């Protein structure tokens, strides 16, 4: 993982993505704090749409882009195709997200939202080109590569449908109603982009972090085909007929795929050589509990939807929260402090290895900020889920405050790591 050296420009683009994602996380926490009432209504409303896109694009996808620029050369054992393409992508991505979120917040579905959609779509195309050309350097194919490439294709389709929906607000050329396409758009993003990408990356990295030699990749192959088949069937049947009884079968096929992947992770954990698991790794592994919880809620959403019961809307909001704020956010919070300390360590100490005694990457972590962030986020999850289950505004308020503390401590920790100065005077010369 020595692709980010002392003078390597890859460090700047990766750290910039982490920093901007942290800012968006702060914005997301602030938005939640001042719009708790919106959580009690339908998910298709301005503030919910604004928060969802802040979470999906500004927080989740932004940090995934940065992490992938760092990890892709490691996973594929090659080099990143272009730093310039990475900078071009983020140059379009950041203003596009800001403008899109603002337009959703005030709900101005006109020219500015269209410009925002074009900016975001352009950024995603540039990112995908970088990934695809990087993969071309890879001499030997792997299942990890297939997951990553497929995830990028789904991201492109998700962004394209989103762009069409933005223009449809004004020109009304789509033949079905907006909610119909919103369901397809959301699940293309969740299952196609986030799930496929996270499986591809984590299936390679988690065994490395756990020091596990479990290598039965056939489980990942089964997961790949089941999840993609389920998503394709959902999109086709969902477009033609909407939500119906057949959707239960599609859900079961997707669950089967996820179970293959989770069993692979379990076997890696079970066969690990490193028995001690640190806090960032605990959070990463625990995040999949929320993925499982979100998936298990889906048949109940289907049931109430087919009965035309309004409770389906509340469950849908809870489902989205479990996915974005439980699974994806907790995974990011855990993996940030597995990957970023190493990136910073390589910048400051790789050239000193063998010359002076240097700290370990884990020594760069501020334990106080890490525990504060972890405790605050745990409180957020408990209060937020309980607030939904018991329709308690007080619990939701506690959750919003806890998320704000989480975001502040997370961002402060990013700053501490990125401002780290090389320290050798405290270490004895070899």
């Amino acid at each position: 993982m020595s692709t980010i050296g002392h003078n390597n420009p890859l460090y700047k683009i990766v750290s910039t993505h982490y920093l901007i994602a942290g800012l968006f996380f702060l914005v997301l926490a602030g938005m939640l704090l001042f719009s708790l009432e919106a959580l009690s209504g339908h998910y298709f409303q301005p503030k919910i749409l604004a928060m969802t896109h802040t979470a999906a694009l500004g927080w989740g996808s932004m940090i995934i882009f940065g992490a992938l620029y760092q990890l892709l050369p490691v996973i594929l054992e090659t080099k990143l195709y272009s730093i310039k393409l990475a900078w071009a992508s983020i140059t379009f991505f950041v203003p596009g997200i800001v403008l899109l979120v603002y337009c959703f917040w005030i709900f101005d579905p006109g020219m500015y939202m269209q410009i925002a959609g074009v900016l975001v779509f352009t950024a995603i195309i540039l990112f995908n080109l970088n990934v695809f050309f990087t993969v071309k350097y890879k001499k030997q194919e792997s299942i990890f590569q297939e997951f990553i490439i497929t995830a990028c294709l789904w991201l492109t389709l998700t962004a394209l449908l989103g762009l069409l929906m933005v223009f449809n607000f004004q020109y009304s050329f789509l033949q079905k109603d907006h909610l119909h396409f919103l369901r397809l758009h959301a699940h293309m993003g969740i299952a196609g982009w986030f799930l496929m990408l996270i499986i591809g990356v984590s299936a390679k990295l988690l065994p490395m972090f756990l020091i596990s030699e479990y290598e039965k990749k056939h489980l990942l192959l089964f997961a790949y085909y089941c999840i993609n088949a389920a998503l394709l069937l959902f999109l086709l049947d969902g477009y033609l007929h909407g939500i119906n009884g057949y959707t239960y079968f599609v859900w079961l096929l997707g669950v089967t795929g996820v179970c293959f992947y989770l069993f692979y992770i379990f076997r890696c954990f079970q066969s690990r050589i490193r028995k001690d698991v640190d806090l960032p790794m605990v959070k990463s592994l625990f995040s999949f509990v929320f993925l499982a919880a979100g998936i298990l809620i889906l048949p109940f959403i289907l049931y109430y939807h087919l009965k035309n019961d309004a409770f389906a809307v509340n469950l849908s909001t809870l489902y989205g929260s479990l996915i974005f704020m439980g699974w994806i956010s907790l995974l990011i919070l855990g993996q940030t402090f597995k990957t970023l300390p190493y990136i910073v360590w390589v910048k400051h100490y790789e050239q000193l290895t063998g010359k002076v005694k240097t700290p370990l990457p884990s020594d760069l972590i501020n334990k106080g900020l890490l525990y504060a962030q972890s405790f605050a986020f745990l409180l957020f999850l408990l209060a937020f889920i309980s607030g939904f289950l018991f329709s308690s505004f007080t619990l939701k308020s506690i959750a919003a405050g806890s998320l704000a503390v989480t975001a502040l401590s997370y961002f402060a920790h990013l700053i501490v790591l990125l401002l780290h100065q090389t320290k050798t005077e405290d270490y004895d010369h070899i």
Side-chain angles (χ1 to χ4, degrees):
M1 291 179 66
S2 59
T3 55
I4 302 183
H6 184 71
N7 296 313
N8 198 318
L10 187 58
Y11 174 82
K12 292 182 179 179
I13 188 64
V14 171
S15 58
T16 299
H17 277 79
Y18 275 86
L19 194 61
I20 293 175
L23 285 171
F24 274 114
F25 189 29
L26 277 172
V27 171
L28 176 62
M31 293 166 74
L32 179 64
L33 197 60
F34 293 103
S35 57
L36 286 172
E37 299 84 357
L39 296 177
S40 302
H42 198 281
Y43 54 83
F44 187 64
Q45 57 172 300
K47 288 182 171 56
I48 295 291
L49 291 173
M51 286 189 286
T52 300
H53 285 84
T54 302
L57 295 174
W59 169 230
S61 294
M62 180 66 68
I63 208 162
I64 286 175
F65 280 19
L68 209 55
Y69 290 140
Q70 173 216 350
L71 297 173
L72 201 59
V74 177
I75 294 171
L76 301 182
E77 299 175 359
T78 182
K79 63 178 182 177
L80 186 69
Y81 173 72
S82 172
I83 300 294
K84 290 182 179 179
L85 262 183
W87 281 114
S89 175
I90 199 173
T91 301
F92 285 100
F93 205 32
V94 174
I97 296 169
V98 171
L99 186 57
L100 184 67
V101 168
Y102 174 74
C103 289
F104 275 129
W105 188 263
I106 65 171
F107 203 69
D108 178 12
M111 181 181 67
Y112 292 115
M113 187 181 285
Q114 294 164 14
I115 292 172
V118 171
L119 288 173
V120 169
F121 185 71
T122 302
I124 288 171
I125 292 297
L126 294 174
F127 164 77
N128 283 338
L129 286 174
N130 216 353
V131 172
F132 294 149
F133 283 122
T134 299
V135 169
K136 283 186 66 177
Y137 287 126
K138 174 67 176 174
K139 296 179 181 179
Q140 189 174 8
E141 293 186 1
S142 68
I143 185 61
F144 312 113
Q145 173 183 324
E146 296 303 318
F147 270 104
I148 293 169
I149 289 295
T150 306
C152 290
L153 290 173
W154 280 119
L155 175 62
T156 303
L157 293 174
T158 304
L160 178 60
L161 180 55
L163 184 62
L164 292 174
M165 291 167 67
V166 164
F167 278 92
N168 189 64
F169 279 126
Q170 184 173 354
Y171 299 107
S172 301
F173 54 85
L174 295 176
Q175 296 179 353
K176 297 181 182 289
D177 68 85
H178 218 79
L179 279 175
H180 188 86
F181 288 102
L182 184 61
R183 283 191 290 269
L184 304 182
H185 174 69
H187 284 90
M188 286 168 68
I190 292 171
W193 164 234
F194 285 113
L195 183 58
M196 294 296 291
L197 192 281
I198 288 172
I199 290 178
V201 173
S202 63
K204 176 72 172 182
L205 294 185
L206 290 182
M208 288 173 56
F209 291 143
L210 294 170
I211 313 181
S212 170
E213 297 181 351
Y214 186 74
E215 293 184 348
K216 293 189 177 180
K217 304 295 190 302
H218 65 277
L219 292 173
L220 297 176
L221 194 64
F222 292 149
Y224 177 86
Y225 286 113
C226 286
I227 294 170
N228 278 289
L231 184 53
L232 287 170
L233 288 172
F234 175 78
L235 295 174
L236 180 62
D237 188 61
Y239 176 75
L240 295 175
H241 307 112
I243 302 298
N244 56 70
Y246 180 73
T247 312
Y248 284 107
F249 167 75
V250 175
W251 169 81
L252 187 60
L253 182 60
V255 168
T256 303
V258 173
C259 286
F260 279 124
Y261 164 67
L262 293 178
F263 185 68
Y264 173 85
I265 295 300
F266 172 74
R267 293 291 290 124
C268 289
F269 181 79
Q270 193 179 46
S271 61
R272 73 193 187 281
I273 296 174
R274 176 179 289 164
K275 298 303 179 183
D276 294 331
V277 182
D278 58 20
L279 185 56
M281 201 62 181
V282 169
K283 288 193 286 188
S284 300
L285 294 170
F286 188 60
S287 70
F288 293 101
V289 173
F290 294 94
L291 171 62
I295 290 173
L296 292 176
I297 284 177
L298 281 174
F300 296 99
I301 296 175
L302 292 175
Y303 173 77
Y304 286 108
H305 178 83
L306 293 174
K307 290 183 63 177
N308 293 317
D309 192 317
F311 190 55
V313 173
N314 292 333
L315 285 179
S316 296
T317 305
L318 179 59
Y319 163 73
S321 301
L322 288 170
I323 293 297
F324 284 111
M325 302 312 299
W327 171 47
I328 294 174
S329 292
L330 192 55
L331 186 61
I332 290 173
L333 291 173
Q335 286 301 296
T336 293
F337 300 107
K338 290 295 291 183
T339 57
L340 190 57
Y342 184 84
I343 297 170
V344 174
W345 182 90
V346 168
K347 179 191 176 186
H348 291 278
Y349 298 104
E350 185 182 44
Q351 303 301 319
L352 300 176
T353 302
K355 300 175 183 177
V356 298
K357 187 176 180 181
T358 62
L360 296 172
S362 59
D363 294 330
L364 308 185
I365 295 175
N366 185 300
K367 298 297 193 298
L369 287 172
L370 184 64
Y371 283 116
Q373 168 209 295
S374 302
F375 177 78
F377 196 70
L378 177 61
L379 182 58
F380 160 74
L381 291 172
L382 292 173
F384 194 73
I385 295 172
S386 300
F388 258 105
L389 294 176
F390 300 108
S391 300
S392 170
F393 185 80
T394 301
L395 286 172
K396 290 179 183 178
S397 299
I398 293 172
S402 300
L403 186 65
V405 173
T406 304
L408 285 168
S409 56
Y410 175 83
F411 189 72
H413 206 167
L414 288 181
I415 298 298
V416 167
L417 280 170
L418 295 176
L419 293 181
H420 177 81
Q421 299 296 315
T422 306
K423 298 176 182 178
T424 58
E425 64 272 11
D426 296 331
Y427 298 91
D428 298 324
H429 285 264
I430 297 175

